[in-house]
Every structure is written in structure tokens, then in C-alpha cells.
């Protein structure tokens, strides 16, 4: 009986963390991001560097800090893009990440606004343009950790600013933003949520004029965001592609609430 209990007892899986000293092995090679218009001072804030060995070989690696300021993951951007390697590689449990909360927290609390973007590259570009109330979703879906953070912080406004893949029949960034919108309506009032995509494909492609245009668009959306367009595009997504039944039900539920049917 004792052996049976030992075999059947559930195991508590502890999340792996890393000593900050491991960052000393990263090289301060910043050319890649400098060519994208990011100052060295901005890059250094994120404590990353070029990895020359192991799973992140030839990637610029960013440490991911948990709420206890311990490193619990890494995200690496390929420095030598090729078809054989993905642009980004992640080590750790991505669904638990809040990045870069340790840098953005005070700006989110002071502004009472949260901007959600798709990648670390977007975060860097926004920081370079002095926009720091931002967190990264690492894709087009809002993670449970990010949802929990939103509940805890309760910002007045949430801007979904995923990539603007406008050249495609169905814009994946806009599609992801709309799905994230419906997921967020389960925890916050929909009037708090605005979708404001970058003026180019992503924030890294934008120049100073583009940023001024985007900020103006963001500010105007606070009063004038057209939820009717969101509904119409949501229904278009369902018509043009196979979507889970739950997505269609969320659209119907929102339409009923929005139009007071």
C-alpha cells in the first residue's frame, strides 16, 4: 500500500528559474537592433545579448523575468534569418510570461492604459519612441497570465495592437486582435478595449511620422472606435474561414449586448 501511494501521489511541477549570472555569457552585440533604429541605451534596458552556444545559438536572447524578478524563460531572435530556422525561439512556459512587466509596470499604472503587441521587436520600437505602457503577447492570443494581470491592474483602456498583415486576404493580426477582444470581454467591459493596429506591418517598420499617425489614431479611438466594423469583420472571418463554433457564439452574444436586442 505504501508503494502504491508513492506511485499515485501527484507531483508538483516547479517552474524552472535561472540565475541572473547566466546573462554574463551573452555578448553585447547590438548591431542587428541598431540597424532597426533602436539605440544601445534602449536595448541595454532589456538585458539581452547575442548567444554563441546551445539552443539559442546565433540568436539575440532576451531574459524573461517573473513577478519575483527571477528569470523563468528566454526569447531569442534569429540573427541569421533563413527558411530553416524560425524567426523567434522561446524557452520556458510562454503562457506564464508577462513581458516586460518589470519595465512597463509603473508606466501602465500611471497612464491607466495598456498596449498589447505581438513581439519583443514591437516592444523595443515602442520604447524607442517613448511609449512604455506596453506588454507583449508573444503571438496573436492573450495568455492566461496576461488575462490575470489585466484583472489585477484593471486599466481604464486596453489597446490591442497586433501586427497589421494587411496584404493578406484575412489579416492574421486583425483576426487575432478580434479574437482577443472577445476573450477580454469576459473579464472587462468592452468599452475599455480598442483595436488600433500599427500603420505598417509592425511597429519596427514605422518611422516618426507613422508613430505620430498611430498615436493620433489611438487617441481618437478612445471616443470613436467603431464596434460595428468589428462585428462586420468578425462575421466576415467566419464566412471566409473555418472557425470554432465558440467564436460564432461570442459574436452573437456581443451583437445582442451591443445592439441591446
Amino acid at each position: 500500500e505504501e508503494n502504491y501511494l508513492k506511485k499515485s501521489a501527484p507531483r508538483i511541477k516547479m517552474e524552472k528559474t535561472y540565475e541572473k549570472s547566466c546573462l554574463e555569457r551573452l555578448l553585447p552585440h547590438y548591431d542587428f537592433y541598431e540597424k532597426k533604429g533602436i539605440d544601445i541605451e534602449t536595448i541595454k534596458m532589456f538585458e539581452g545579448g547575442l548567444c554563441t552556444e546551445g539552443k539559442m545559438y546565433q540568436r539575440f536572447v532576451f531574459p524573461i523575468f517573473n513577478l519575483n524578478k527571477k528569470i523563468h524563460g528566454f526569447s531569442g531572435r534569429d540573427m541569421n534569418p533563413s527558411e530553416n530556422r524560425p524567426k523567434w525561439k522561446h524557452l520556458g512556459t510562454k503562457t506564464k510570461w508577462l513581458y516586460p512587466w518589470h519595465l512597463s509596470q509603473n508606466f501602465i499604472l500611471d497612464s491607466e492604459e495598456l498596449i498589447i503587441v505581438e513581439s519583443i521587436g514591437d516592444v523595443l520600437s515602442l520604447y524607442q519612441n517613448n511609449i512604455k505602457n506596453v506588454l507583449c503577447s508573444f503571438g496573436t492570443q492573450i495568455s492566461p497570465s496576461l488575462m490575470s494581470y489585466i484583472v489585477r491592474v484593471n486599466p481604464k483602456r486596453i489597446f490591442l495592437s497586433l501586427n497589421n498583415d494587411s496584404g493578406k486576404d484575412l489579416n492574421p493580426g486583425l483576426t487575432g486582435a478580434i479574437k482577443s477582444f472577445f476573450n477580454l470581454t469576459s473579464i472587462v467591459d468592452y468599452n475599455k478595449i480598442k483595436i488600433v493596429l500599427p500603420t505598417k506591418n509592425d511597429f519596427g517598420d514605422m518611422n516618426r511620422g507613422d508613430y505620430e499617425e498611430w498615436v493620433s489614431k489611438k487617441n481618437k479611438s478612445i471616443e470613436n472606435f467603431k464596434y460595428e466594423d468589428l462585428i462586420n469583420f468578425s462575421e466576415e472571418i467566419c464566412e471566409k474561414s473555418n472557425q470554432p463554433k465558440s467564436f460564432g457564439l461570442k459574436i452573437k452574444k456581443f451583437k445582442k449586448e451591443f445592439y441591446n436586442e
Side-chain angles (χ1 to χ4, degrees):
E1 183 179 354
E2 184 178 344
N3 289 334
Y4 172 78
L5 289 174
K6 286 183 179 179
K7 290 181 181 179
S8 62
R11 294 182 178 181
I12 299 174
K13 189 175 181 180
M14 300 296 291
E15 185 180 30
K16 186 175 181 179
T17 58
Y18 305 83
E19 293 297 327
K20 197 171 181 179
S21 59
C22 71
L23 302 181
E24 296 172 4
R25 298 199 296 270
L26 301 176
L27 300 182
H29 186 71
Y30 305 133
D31 288 3
F32 179 84
Y33 284 108
E34 282 189 276
K35 290 176 181 178
K36 290 179 174 291
I38 311 298
D39 294 340
I40 290 179
E41 292 75 14
T42 300
I43 303 170
K44 285 183 176 180
M45 293 172 60
F46 295 85
E47 302 183 66
L50 179 65
C51 184
T52 59
E53 60 184 356
K55 295 179 179 179
M56 289 291 195
Y57 177 69
Q58 289 299 298
R59 291 181 181 274
F60 193 96
V61 174
F62 297 89
I64 312 296
F65 293 90
N66 63 20
L67 297 180
N68 295 316
K69 298 188 177 181
K70 297 283 188 181
I71 298 173
H72 67 151
F74 300 92
S75 185
R77 175 63 160 87
D78 191 7
M79 295 290 95
N80 299 298
S82 69
E83 294 181 359
N84 299 323
R85 277 164 55 103
K87 183 186 292 185
W88 287 93
K89 183 174 183 177
H90 309 298
L91 296 179
T93 308
K94 194 172 65 171
T95 55
K96 294 183 179 180
W97 293 357
L98 280 175
Y99 187 84
W101 80 271
H102 62 298
L103 300 176
S104 298
Q105 169 88 334
N106 290 336
F107 298 102
I108 294 168
L109 295 177
D110 290 344
S111 67
E112 298 185 289
E113 294 182 354
L114 170 61
I115 301 166
I116 299 175
V117 299
E118 198 165 317
S119 77
I120 293 179
D122 295 313
V123 174
L124 289 171
S125 295
L126 283 163
Y127 263 69
Q128 179 66 32
N129 285 273
N130 203 35
I131 301 171
K132 300 177 180 179
N133 52 328
V134 55
L135 291 176
C136 175
S137 61
F138 294 97
T140 58
Q141 296 184 23
I142 304 296
S143 70
S145 292
L146 189 45
M147 295 272 281
S148 297
Y149 179 83
I150 290 169
V151 171
R152 186 167 68 252
V153 175
N154 192 27
K156 286 185 178 179
R157 283 177 285 271
I158 301 165
F159 298 97
L160 296 170
S161 300
L162 307 184
N163 289 359
N164 189 357
D165 309 296
S166 57
K168 300 179 181 179
D169 185 35
L170 275 179
N171 186 328
L174 180 56
T175 300
I178 287 175
K179 290 184 174 182
S180 297
F181 171 88
F182 287 122
N183 288 336
L184 287 172
T185 57
S186 66
I187 59 172
V188 298
D189 189 277
Y190 75 83
N191 286 297
K192 290 186 173 186
I193 315 166
K194 318 295 178 183
I195 296 176
V196 189
L197 301 188
T199 59
K200 298 288 179 64
N201 181 71
D202 58 39
F203 287 101
D205 293 334
M206 290 164 50
N207 58 34
R208 186 174 297 276
D210 296 324
Y211 266 95
E212 291 175 356
E213 179 185 347
W214 181 80
V215 170
S216 174
K217 185 178 177 183
K218 178 179 78 72
N219 292 340
K220 288 178 181 177
S221 75
I222 293 171
E223 298 296 334
N224 301 315
F225 186 78
K226 298 185 183 301
Y227 291 99
E228 299 92 337
D229 292 346
L230 183 147
I231 292 169
N232 293 335
F233 194 82
S234 301
E235 293 177 330
E236 184 181 337
I237 292 172
C238 288
E239 291 174 4
K240 289 186 175 181
S241 60
N242 293 324
Q243 297 294 330
K245 185 178 179 180
S246 58
F247 182 53
L249 293 174
K250 287 176 182 177
I251 297 171
K252 289 181 180 178
K253 181 180 178 182
F254 180 72
K255 283 181 67 175
K256 186 174 181 180
E257 179 181 354
F258 183 74
Y259 292 115
N260 294 316
E261 295 177 352

